Amino acid sequence: MITDGQWRELLWRRAEDPGSIRRAYQARKRRNSLLNGKSTLFLVAADHPARGALGVGGDPLAMADRRSLLDRLLTALANPAVDGVLGTPDVIEDLLLLDGLNERVVIGSMNRGGLAGADWEIDDRFTAYDASSIASFGLDGGKMLLRLVDSDPGTIPTLEGCARAVTELAEHGLMAMVEPLPYKRDHNDKLVLQKDSAALSRASAVAAGLGATSAYTWLKLPAPGEPDVVLDTTALPALVLGGVPSANPEDDLASWGRSLRHPTVRGLVVGRALLYPPDGDVAAAVAAAAEILRTAKGITV
């Protein structure tokens, strides 16, 4: 739990000592490799608020309470099975000031301009970290969201921006985590994720080919109904994303487990499903996900 004293200190530094943030970046002890000793990677994600996506389940403002979000992230990071975090600069820097990221993998979220529900949502501009800042701040890679909508020309600049980011991250020898998601608009003009194998395989193939080299590219993919069909699309390493949590956490865990068994999949990136579980027990939700990963990969403790 974040104590009142820690919270006051964080607010003081934010207002009166902004230079402490750069010092915290510089002082952070980095891990030697992305993968842990079991050759897996388990990250918690907290980049939703920067895109205006604050809701979880029936609560439209669940992620709006920053102290609560940070407390949940620190609870997740306290589990030794969790390797690190994915977030935008504001979240990462709060965690740095709370001394929560030493020996952790830190992935900077890059394009958050496609605000949830906006008319331009698919034109997802890069508004957070860029490759040069990720390198200079000593982070371990960058993540980009690539929503593909054939009927929306906003897909084109997003494709181009992601390709540029992949190339620039590779020039620094840093992971480029690409999250390709195929969408269509329904009769109400609402974006609907296409979960069929053909759409997911096509999106994966497009993402894998972005940039001047794929040497440092990883894919972040939803757990498909037919894991082998989708995950056989590329030889690139992949991580399973948690996505929008369902009403039944057991169903989410089972879905992740089926995909985690595929040899190209190295781990999990989960946000709201673990940080805001229905019963409120973050530690138990994280532990359950870690056990699914261990079981799927045949890891013995």
Side-chain angles (χ1 to χ4, degrees):
M1 294 287 291
I2 297 173
T3 66
D4 289 343
Q6 288 174 313
W7 185 244
R8 286 193 298 269
E9 175 72 10
L10 173 63
L11 298 182
W12 183 88
R13 288 192 178 193
R14 280 293 195 180
E16 302 197 38
D17 188 15
S20 64
I21 293 173
R22 179 168 288 276
R23 295 195 298 273
Y25 275 120
Q26 295 170 340
R28 184 177 77 89
K29 297 177 183 177
R30 294 182 66 178
R31 199 164 85 170
N32 291 329
S33 64
L34 288 172
L35 295 171
N36 57 35
K38 306 295 184 181
S39 292
T40 60
L41 183 62
F42 181 5
L43 303 175
V44 288
D47 59 347
H48 305 87
R51 204 173 64 77
L54 299 172
V56 182
D59 184 354
L61 293 176
M63 300 188 77
D65 185 326
R66 179 50 58 93
R67 182 171 175 175
S68 173
L69 172 60
L70 294 172
D71 197 65
R72 292 164 187 268
L73 284 166
L74 291 173
T75 297
L77 287 165
N79 188 314
V82 175
D83 296 292
V85 66
L86 183 162
T88 46
D90 57 326
V91 174
I92 296 301
E93 289 163 3
D94 283 345
L95 290 171
L96 282 170
L97 293 176
L98 290 165
D99 197 28
L101 296 180
N102 284 316
E103 302 290 347
R104 298 293 185 173
V105 173
V106 181
I107 305 298
S109 188
M110 303 177 77
N111 60 325
R112 298 280 85 189
L115 302 185
D119 291 343
W120 68 86
E121 184 170 351
I122 298 306
D123 185 349
D124 207 340
R125 304 292 178 96
F126 282 65
T127 57
Y129 287 112
D130 57 20
S132 62
S133 61
I134 287 170
S136 67
F137 290 145
L139 303 190
D140 302 292
K143 173 257 182 176
M144 60 210 76
L145 176 60
L146 176 61
R147 287 169 294 185
L148 302 169
V149 183
D150 289 355
S151 62
D152 193 323
T155 297
I156 300 169
T158 304
L159 269 170
E160 183 180 25
C162 288
R164 185 182 306 111
V166 168
T167 299
E168 292 173 351
L169 286 165
E171 289 172 351
H172 293 286
L174 294 170
M175 173 208 267
M177 184 190 297
V178 186
E179 181 180 359
L181 299 177
Y183 277 86
K184 284 187 177 179
R185 294 190 183 275
D186 64 14
H187 61 281
N188 293 318
D189 205 35
K190 180 181 178 181
L191 289 168
V192 179
L193 177 63
Q194 304 302 293
K195 299 180 181 180
D196 61 282
S197 296
L200 290 173
S201 295
R202 177 177 183 257
S204 298
V206 169
L210 292 175
T213 176
S214 63
Y216 295 91
T217 303
W218 289 51
L219 300 182
K220 178 173 180 260
L221 300 169
E226 298 177 292
D228 288 346
V229 174
V230 175
L231 295 167
D232 283 350
T233 303
T234 176
L236 296 181
L239 298 167
V240 174
L241 67 92
V244 178
S246 71
N248 189 344
E250 288 75 18
D251 292 343
D252 293 333
L253 290 170
S255 176
W256 303 340
R258 289 190 294 271
S259 295
L260 286 167
R261 286 191 287 269
H262 194 277
T264 62
V265 176
R266 292 301 184 127
L268 283 165
V269 183
V270 189
R272 292 168 289 183
L274 298 186
L275 297 175
Y276 297 86
D279 64 0
D281 192 339
V282 176
V286 171
E291 181 59 30
I292 289 292
L293 176 57
R294 282 193 293 267
T295 300
K297 292 303 184 185
I299 297 171
T300 57
V301 179

